[in-house]
Amino acid sequence: MTEEDHEPAAGTHAGQVNMADVARRAGVSIATVSRALRGLPGVSPRTRSRVLSTVEELDYVVSPAASSLRGATRRVAVVLPRLDSWFASTMLATIESTLRQADLDVLVYQVGTEEKRTHFFRDLPTRRKVDAVVLVTLPIGGEEEARLDLMGVQVVIAGTRLRDFPSVSVDDVAIGYGAVRHLVDLGHRRIGMIRTFDTDGAQWASELNRLTGYLNAVAAHDLPDDPALVATVPYGIDAGAEGMRQLLALPEPPTAVFCYSDDIAVAAMTALSQRGLRVPEDISVIGVDGHALGELFRLTTIDQHVTDQARTASTMVLDLLAGHSLADSRVTLPTHLVERGSTGPPAPSRTREQRAGRTRSAQ
Amino acid sequence: MTEEDHEPAAGTHAGQVNMADVARRAGVSIATVSRALRGLPGVSPRTRSRVLSTVEELDYVVSPAASSLRGATRRVAVVLPRLDSWFASTMLATIESTLRQADLDVLVYQVGTEEKRTHFFRDLPTRRKVDAVVLVTLPIGGEEEARLDLMGVQVVIAGTRLRDFPSVSVDDVAIGYGAVRHLVDLGHRRIGMIRTFDTDGAQWASELNRLTGYLNAVAAHDLPDDPALVATVPYGIDAGAEGMRQLLALPEPPTAVFCYSDDIAVAAMTALSQRGLRVPEDISVIGVDGHALGELFRLTTIDQHVTDQARTASTMVLDLLAGHSLADSRVTLPTHLVERGSTGPPAPSRTREQRAGRTRSAQ
DNA sequence: CTGAAAGCGCTTACAG
DNA sequence: CTGAAAGCGCTTACAG
């Protein structure tokens, strides 16, 4: 007797409490427990509350594995190149918050290297595990793209576009163009750019597009289009500093520099301050992102509202899972110039003479 | 006839291919398919390869939901306060890589606010969804701690300690002590600290411990222990700058400052450079973390090897899932002073006189 | 080496 | 409003 009183409330077997345990204890059928638990109609208030209190008592939770054997998994995968960039972690943070509110669980997959990307698209580890996958700024080749169709789940693209998948992104060409234009408006003519390349050999759409925007603006405003004004450096913490060093080593350095990202811009500014050069008096710097760090360094930037992009992508996921068709919904979000202290008019005459002198003596 | 040839290779029904489809097509039983797929003994090489090629052909993948109905979920949850800090995103990135290699999937839960934390520990959303959960630097109260036992899964703690759960962390008291000691060795006596507090009201163990280390060192070396030398500022991008401003506003500012983290230290250094003060000539700055940004700013820091911590935590998870008991395995990893350019000897006489003068005229 | 069958823990028509 | 039962897609003793 006393012995029996000590049997665990959790049921007779060692493992998890299951729905049968609850049903038995509440004196109803399994079906009724299931209905009561999910708030389905056809359960009397009394029965429902009895079930619910038994559930409480036994500290029972439904097995997601068993229930998803029929329906949805209520899981979403977020796939991104790396987590250690401001862009990526902000994306993931916002997507997680938004989806979690809708009671969805979020799985993360980092596919930063060529190898991991290949594996991912070959094995498609997300198949049958999730209801949807969000691909964040992934460089995707032709074969990989084809594999996407086999994924068997909803696909949303964030930070770029891909075929006719639902996507949210910004206009990176316009970003590059707008940055240069801002510098032109301030009176600059000799404008450099610092871009990065992935040491892994991947082609980043945004990277290419921002360069295109830069080049378009250079052409449109009839600026000097010296190829040496574009410094291309390997991605890394020091990238911006290295790029700036290259530009400063030119016979005729630029008076303003457009940087691929805020990270790059901040690093570029450290290289300037190490040389004793002032921003923006000696050289103007503009970035892209809206990184919190930019505020600290009074960096002028083009804000691409990453949080908004992430929220939009999340909403798309929610809509798709709700059964809405999102055919042809490729959203381009607006970006905004945020003027802070790192851009200003060039110091024209002095700089020009100095440069001319230096150029001649160098040759 | 021709019609039948056109039936989808995927099987007769619209949805997913299942194991029965594969079995039928390969002309074997479901049991054999299951065995072949998991490399179990008791399947002839011929049969195995036939099954495997059928699987290939039908592009079949096992349903994780169905197979986890018995065994493990092969999923691990990583729970952290926020993702938008260097520490957190580095942790998650490394844990994901490590666990992914072991073919485990990683779920993320951000519980940054008091409210989310309460919800998390009340609802325990990870129950029955994962095999293990890694709690990263989570401030955990008494009741929450009790709920952990109900989680029903393996628990690993990273970045701090909790009861006798397996954990990996560093000695934050030693970090605070070591930082101050480094400054003392350089000749500093008047040493400040910039700490932060969570705007959400949470108590961070590492925060408290580093302060304790600082205070211990101050006492041990008989340094001036003016309470005003500890600037406590709300967490945020500007925290370090704000803290430094407070310290500089003192009648007698410190000659060196220990910052809670590298982020804080970098922000503090921007405040200094805006005042035209040089690091380390006018004031020394030391941080904690080993953040990549620190390299860029030539910041002296105490590296807490976050990647190692993350790897250790991942290994613990793997061990636990392999059935090894990890009772009483609370690992404390070593930290290292990384001397870069932001700390140096004080400029004693000048500074002292100047201060003395200032102090008098101020009173 | 192989298969028929029970069972994992649910959900959902189908009866009543 | 409630329950018995089939079925989701696997895994795993148990026979052979």
Side-chain angles (χ1 to χ4, degrees):
Chain A
M1 277 301 167
T2 324
E3 289 296 58
E4 289 202 47
D5 288 356
H6 282 87
E7 77 176 334
T12 41
H13 50 281
Q16 286 285 356
V17 184
N18 62 24
M19 203 175 264
D21 295 325
V22 177
R24 203 173 306 127
R25 184 118 175 176
V28 296
S29 71
I30 294 183
T32 297
V33 175
S34 177
R35 289 190 195 103
L37 234 28
R38 295 182 307 125
L40 294 183
V43 183
S44 75
R46 304 192 34 148
T47 309
R48 185 185 307 277
S49 76
R50 183 145 40 93
V51 169
L52 260 27
S53 67
T54 309
V55 162
E56 190 83 359
E57 191 185 341
L58 298 184
D59 207 44
Y60 168 74
V61 267
V62 170
S63 156
S67 57
S68 74
L69 215 46
R70 316 201 133 247
T73 64
R74 301 210 59 77
R75 247 171 268 137
V76 175
V78 177
V79 186
L80 21 72
R82 56 205 329 151
L83 235 37
D84 60 348
S85 79
W86 173 80
F87 181 89
S89 56
T90 305
M91 270 283 185
L92 178 60
T94 308
I95 293 175
E96 192 274 342
S97 297
T98 315
L99 295 184
R100 197 86 263 294
Q101 273 178 35
D103 209 41
L104 291 164
D105 290 312
V106 174
L107 287 163
V108 212
Y109 294 84
Q110 284 180 102
V111 292
T113 65
E114 174 82 52
E115 193 199 344
K116 286 194 174 183
R117 210 153 41 230
T118 308
H119 278 302
F120 184 86
F121 285 101
R122 194 192 58 206
D123 303 338
L124 297 177
T126 53
R127 282 200 295 176
R128 307 195 76 170
K129 286 182 189 166
V130 298
D131 300 332
V133 28
V134 182
L135 263 30
V136 181
T137 58
L138 233 45
I140 295 176
E143 319 158 30
E144 293 166 343
E145 198 183 305
R147 297 283 299 162
L148 271 180
D149 300 316
L150 291 173
M151 198 107 79
V153 300
Q154 304 285 5
V155 175
V156 168
I157 312 283
T160 176
R161 288 170 156 236
L162 188 68
R163 265 179 20 204
D164 53 352
F165 287 112
S167 67
V168 52
S169 56
V170 293
D171 184 341
D172 283 300
V173 176
I175 285 176
Y177 195 99
V180 173
R181 196 206 164 115
H182 166 65
L183 298 170
V184 168
D185 286 348
L186 287 169
H188 294 275
R189 302 272 313 153
R190 196 162 176 83
I191 298 173
M193 172 170 182
I194 302 178
R195 17 175 332 223
T196 59
F197 62 88
D198 193 316
T199 47
D200 190 49
Q203 284 289 6
W204 299 89
S206 61
E207 216 290 307
L208 253 30
N209 290 336
R210 288 178 202 171
L211 174 65
T212 303
Y214 164 86
L215 293 173
N216 288 354
V218 165
H221 298 95
D222 214 24
L223 306 177
D225 67 340
D226 185 350
L229 284 174
V230 177
T232 307
V233 289
Y235 183 89
I237 187 71
D238 203 44
E242 173 55 26
M244 189 54 90
R245 273 179 228 119
Q246 288 183 18
L247 294 178
L248 292 177
L250 291 179
E252 192 176 355
T255 61
V257 177
F258 163 49
C259 298
Y260 170 71
S261 70
D262 285 352
D263 284 308
I264 303 290
V266 167
M269 285 164 75
T270 67
L272 289 172
S273 91
Q274 274 165 24
R275 297 272 182 115
L277 293 170
R278 293 158 308 159
V279 175
E281 290 82 355
D282 296 316
I283 197 159
S284 283
V285 176
I286 180 169
V288 181
D289 264 347
H291 194 313
L293 211 55
E295 216 178 305
L296 195 58
F297 289 92
R298 309 200 53 231
L299 177 67
T300 295
T301 192
I302 307 232
D303 191 338
Q304 62 162 321
H305 306 291
V306 176
T307 305
D308 291 343
Q309 291 189 61
R311 263 195 293 257
T312 306
S314 307
T315 306
M316 286 177 169
V317 167
L318 261 20
D319 282 348
L320 286 168
L321 297 189
H324 306 163
S325 127
L326 244 53
D328 223 52
S329 104
R330 308 198 295 169
V331 174
T332 303
L333 256 31
T335 56
H336 295 97
L337 174 68
V338 179
E339 287 196 61
R340 287 193 280 238
S342 70
T343 49
S349 54
R350 187 185 64 89
T351 322
R352 199 163 292 159
E353 279 160 22
Q354 207 181 340
R355 272 199 247 109
R358 222 205 287 177
T359 309
R360 269 176 211 132
S361 64
Q363 306 214 309
Chain B
M1 278 298 168
T2 325
E3 289 296 56
E4 292 202 45
D5 287 357
H6 282 90
E7 76 174 338
T12 43
H13 50 280
Q16 286 284 356
V17 184
N18 63 23
M19 205 175 262
D21 295 325
V22 177
R24 203 173 306 128
R25 184 120 177 175
V28 297
S29 72
I30 293 183
T32 297
V33 175
S34 176
R35 289 188 196 105
L37 233 30
R38 294 181 309 126
L40 294 184
V43 184
S44 77
R46 304 194 33 151
T47 309
R48 186 185 306 278
S49 76
R50 184 147 37 92
V51 168
L52 259 28
S53 66
T54 307
V55 163
E56 190 84 0
E57 192 185 339
L58 297 185
D59 206 46
Y60 168 74
V61 268
V62 170
S63 155
S67 58
S68 73
L69 215 47
R70 315 203 132 247
T73 64
R74 300 210 61 75
R75 247 171 268 138
V76 175
V78 178
V79 186
L80 22 71
R82 56 207 328 154
L83 236 36
D84 59 348
S85 80
W86 172 81
F87 181 89
S89 56
T90 304
M91 270 282 184
L92 178 59
T94 308
I95 294 175
E96 192 275 342
S97 297
T98 314
L99 296 183
R100 197 87 262 294
Q101 271 177 39
D103 209 41
L104 292 165
D105 290 312
V106 175
L107 287 163
V108 212
Y109 295 84
Q110 285 180 101
V111 291
T113 63
E114 174 82 52
E115 192 199 346
K116 287 194 172 184
R117 211 155 40 231
T118 307
H119 278 302
F120 183 86
F121 284 100
R122 195 192 56 205
D123 304 339
L124 297 176
T126 54
R127 283 201 295 177
R128 305 197 77 168
K129 286 182 188 165
V130 299
D131 300 332
V133 29
V134 183
L135 263 30
V136 181
T137 59
L138 232 46
I140 294 177
E143 316 158 30
E144 295 166 342
E145 200 182 303
R147 297 285 298 164
L148 271 179
D149 299 317
L150 291 174
M151 197 109 79
V153 300
Q154 305 285 5
V155 175
V156 169
I157 312 283
T160 178
R161 287 170 158 235
L162 188 68
R163 264 176 24 199
D164 53 352
F165 287 112
S167 67
V168 53
S169 56
V170 291
D171 184 340
D172 283 300
V173 176
I175 285 178
Y177 195 98
V180 172
R181 197 207 163 115
H182 167 64
L183 297 171
V184 168
D185 287 348
L186 286 170
H188 294 274
R189 302 270 316 152
R190 195 160 176 84
I191 299 174
M193 174 173 182
I194 302 178
R195 13 172 341 217
T196 59
F197 62 89
D198 194 316
T199 46
D200 191 49
Q203 283 290 7
W204 299 89
S206 61
E207 216 290 308
L208 252 30
N209 290 334
R210 288 179 201 169
L211 173 64
T212 302
Y214 163 88
L215 293 173
N216 288 354
V218 164
H221 297 93
D222 215 24
L223 306 178
D225 68 340
D226 184 350
L229 283 174
V230 177
T232 306
V233 289
Y235 183 87
I237 186 70
D238 203 44
E242 173 57 26
M244 189 55 90
R245 271 179 231 121
Q246 289 184 17
L247 294 177
L248 292 177
L250 292 178
E252 191 175 356
T255 62
V257 176
F258 163 49
C259 298
Y260 169 72
S261 71
D262 285 354
D263 284 307
I264 302 290
V266 167
M269 284 164 77
T270 66
L272 289 171
S273 92
Q274 274 164 24
R275 297 273 182 116
L277 292 170
R278 293 158 309 159
V279 175
E281 291 81 355
D282 295 315
I283 197 159
S284 283
V285 175
I286 182 170
V288 181
D289 261 348
H291 193 312
L293 210 55
E295 216 178 307
L296 194 61
F297 288 91
R298 311 200 51 235
L299 176 68
T300 295
T301 191
I302 307 229
D303 192 338
Q304 62 162 321
H305 307 290
V306 177
T307 305
D308 291 344
Q309 291 190 61
R311 264 196 293 259
T312 305
S314 307
T315 305
M316 286 176 169
V317 167
L318 261 20
D319 282 348
L320 286 169
L321 297 190
H324 307 163
S325 125
L326 243 55
D328 223 50
S329 105
R330 308 196 296 168
V331 173
T332 302
L333 256 31
T335 56
H336 295 97
L337 173 68
V338 179
E339 286 195 61
R340 287 195 280 239
S342 69
T343 50
S349 55
R350 188 187 64 90
T351 320
R352 197 162 294 158
E353 279 160 24
Q354 208 180 339
R355 272 198 249 108
R358 223 206 287 177
T359 309
R360 270 180 209 127
S361 64
Q363 308 211 307

